[in-house]
Amino acid sequence: FIGGDNFKEGGNAMPKFAQRIYDMESSAKIIRALFGAMDSPNIISLGGGAPASDALPVEAVHDICTDVITRNKRGVEALQYGSVLGVSDLRKNVADILLKPKGLEAELDEIIIVNGGLETMNLLCQVYINPGDVILVESPTFVHCVEIFEMFQARCVGVECDDCGMILEDVEKKIQKLHPKLVYIIPTFQNPTGKTFPLERRKKLAEIGSKYDVIILEDDPYQELRYSGEPLPPIKCFDKTGHTVYANSFSKIFSPGSRLGFCHASHDIITKLFDAKTATNSHTSTFAQVVCAEFFNRGLFSSQLKKLCEIHRERRDVMMNCFAKYMPGGTKWVHPDGGLFSWVELPGGIDTAALLPEANAAGIHYIAGSSFYVQGGNMGSNAMRVSFGNVTPEKIDIAVQQLASLVKNKL
């Protein structure tokens, strides 16, 4: 009987959605609200995670596209089907320019080019996650990845964190008790807090993954955007058994709209990701890959990264100064050494989710802190994630002033 219990003769009933759609509903709601606010011309959005629009390499990409499409060999390559692993010279650029300086030696067949940084999480879930499997995440963590994990019907469990990130004693305790498949972490300029995981914990977490046969999923899209402090090697540098998977993106260092990312993992894992990707979308856009490869081939990355860091350093500094100037006493915030985010905790038990409609009415948007905790309850209820990435210094000043005024009225 077509449609089963949902079918009504002459009615408008539809087949029931898959259970995974209901399982991801809470995180999906947050993502829908975020993108809605980003598109509103009447709101200064401190909620998004986009890099500065005026830092995008528009002229360079225009010249590359024109050149590529008029050169037969590369033009044909750009418009034709391509390798599942990705365009070879883009993978070589990843190995030589993005990984080797960090201490990561990678063969080309240990790198796969994916559709934005998020596809690595999706493919890895396809390869490893069965319904009910446990994934350990930071508290708070990146809500977009929680949405992916929930789509695969994983059970996300938060790990206790301090000012430096995951507390490793709690990681081990939860591994021993819950036997997770993955530990998901953003170690550098973490989303949403802007915090950075220290060196000794990086070493230890890699060892924990090997000891307990758990995948450490290292999501590192902000690592290049450092404005102060000393660079730290990725967790993957300390991986001796292939248990750490390194995920990164071109969204912050080249173009979010290109939807390009990459994954570096052991040959065995890449082989399984290859199989999952062929079943998902065959390969990542060859055109976008060729353009990005040419961007690196022509030596444009170094100057682009310098420009990105200069623009975002200024915006970070303006936001930090505005917090100090306008926010009421008792407010706490993270001063990040890089990335795009800061984490603000308000005094007086102010609920940032309850405050958000008033902020939106005043033309300001942020993401309420409770959105980033998988535990639910009152975790992060007085906190918010704010981004300085795609907001001009002038608008940062206006937004923080307005936000401070709303907070003061609640005290």
Side-chain angles (χ1 to χ4, degrees):
F1 179 32
I2 297 172
D5 292 339
N6 295 310
F7 180 79
K8 293 180 182 178
E9 187 175 353
N12 295 317
M14 294 289 288
K16 188 176 181 180
F17 293 117
Q19 183 57 44
R20 69 179 67 91
I21 296 299
Y22 300 103
D23 291 341
M24 64 187 281
E25 180 58 29
S26 60
S27 53
K29 245 171 105 176
I30 297 165
I31 299 298
R32 288 196 296 266
L34 168 60
F35 281 102
M38 286 175 66
D39 293 337
S40 173
N42 302 315
I43 288 181
I44 300 175
S45 179
L46 305 178
S53 293
D54 46 352
L56 298 176
V58 177
E59 292 183 10
V61 170
H62 172 271
D63 293 344
I64 290 169
C65 287
T66 302
D67 196 22
V68 162
I69 215 68
T70 56
R71 286 163 53 194
N72 182 53
K73 185 177 179 181
R74 198 99 230 223
V76 169
E77 179 188 9
L79 297 177
Q80 188 54 278
Y81 285 118
S83 163
V84 177
L85 286 180
V87 169
S88 60
D89 57 336
L90 182 56
R91 284 185 288 131
K92 189 173 190 314
N93 284 319
V94 168
D96 293 346
I97 298 174
L98 298 179
L99 294 181
K100 196 169 187 178
K102 299 178 180 68
L104 290 170
E105 298 285 343
E107 301 296 329
L108 293 195
D109 63 359
E110 295 175 333
I111 298 167
I112 186 169
I113 305 298
V114 293
N115 284 298
L118 289 169
E119 192 181 24
T120 293
M121 301 16 160
N122 190 297
L123 295 175
L124 209 63
C125 285
Q126 291 185 50
V127 168
Y128 279 105
I129 298 300
N130 295 311
D133 282 345
V134 171
I135 298 176
L136 299 185
V137 300
E138 297 160 291
S139 296
T141 191
F142 180 33
V143 67
H144 211 144
C145 278
V146 171
E147 183 181 34
I148 293 172
F149 300 152
E150 289 179 345
M151 182 173 67
F152 285 90
Q153 297 176 283
R155 177 187 166 205
C156 293
V157 175
V159 170
E160 292 178 17
C161 293
D162 59 18
D163 288 343
C164 296
M166 276 186 171
I167 298 172
L168 296 185
E169 291 78 7
D170 194 51
V171 174
E172 281 205 80
K173 182 175 73 175
K174 285 186 166 74
I175 287 175
Q176 292 167 356
K177 180 180 179 181
L178 301 173
H179 309 291
K181 286 282 186 71
L182 304 175
V183 177
Y184 172 70
I185 183 171
I186 306 173
T188 312
F189 319 134
Q190 195 246 12
N191 181 355
T193 65
K195 298 175 182 177
T196 295
F197 203 52
L199 179 62
E200 288 306 314
R201 294 196 200 183
R202 292 173 185 234
K203 293 178 182 178
K204 179 65 175 174
L205 185 58
E207 292 171 4
I208 287 172
S210 301
K211 178 180 178 180
Y212 293 101
D213 193 22
V214 175
I215 294 296
I216 307 299
L217 175 50
E218 179 179 15
D219 189 8
D220 207 21
Y222 311 105
Q223 201 271 353
E224 305 286 348
L225 300 181
R226 178 174 283 278
Y227 323 128
S228 55
E230 293 299 317
L232 293 176
I235 297 166
K236 179 69 175 168
C237 285
F238 308 108
D239 173 24
K240 298 178 181 178
T241 58
H243 280 78
T244 300
V245 174
Y246 184 80
N248 209 319
S249 170
F250 292 97
S251 293
K252 309 305 184 287
I253 59 175
F254 173 61
S255 153
S258 68
R259 303 315 303 135
L260 292 174
F262 66 89
C263 173
H264 167 41
S266 69
H267 183 267
D268 288 347
I269 292 176
I270 291 293
T271 298
K272 295 303 182 186
L273 297 182
F274 180 108
D275 294 340
K277 188 162 178 63
T278 60
T280 303
N281 50 35
S282 297
H283 63 80
T284 301
S285 165
T286 313
F287 188 89
Q289 289 186 71
V290 166
V291 172
C292 187
E294 285 294 318
F295 184 81
F296 280 87
N297 293 344
R298 298 178 187 202
L300 299 174
F301 173 65
S302 179
S303 59
Q304 173 66 10
L305 183 59
K306 181 180 178 182
K307 180 181 179 181
L308 284 164
C309 288
E310 287 175 350
I311 289 174
H312 291 114
R313 180 186 296 110
E314 179 191 17
R315 295 181 179 193
R316 176 203 64 177
D317 291 347
V318 167
M319 180 170 276
M320 298 302 104
N321 290 336
C322 285
F323 287 157
K325 183 177 180 182
Y326 301 124
M327 295 301 285
T331 305
K332 299 178 181 179
W333 59 88
V334 173
H335 189 296
D337 281 325
L340 300 173
F341 306 106
S342 180
W343 183 253
V344 180
E345 296 180 5
L346 301 180
I350 295 173
D351 186 325
T352 55
L355 183 66
L356 187 56
E358 291 182 50
N360 288 170
I364 312 299
H365 188 71
Y366 57 80
I367 307 295
S370 57
S371 304
F372 299 96
Y373 286 87
V374 297
Q375 299 96 317
N378 292 321
M379 298 286 287
S381 61
N382 72 322
M384 64 177 72
R385 187 194 79 174
V386 291
S387 173
F388 47 83
N390 196 25
V391 193
T392 64
E394 296 76 19
K395 287 188 175 181
I396 289 172
D397 190 282
I398 293 169
V400 176
Q401 274 199 70
Q402 188 65 260
L403 190 57
S405 177
L406 291 172
V407 172
K408 289 173 182 176
N409 287 338
K410 296 293 180 182
L411 294 175

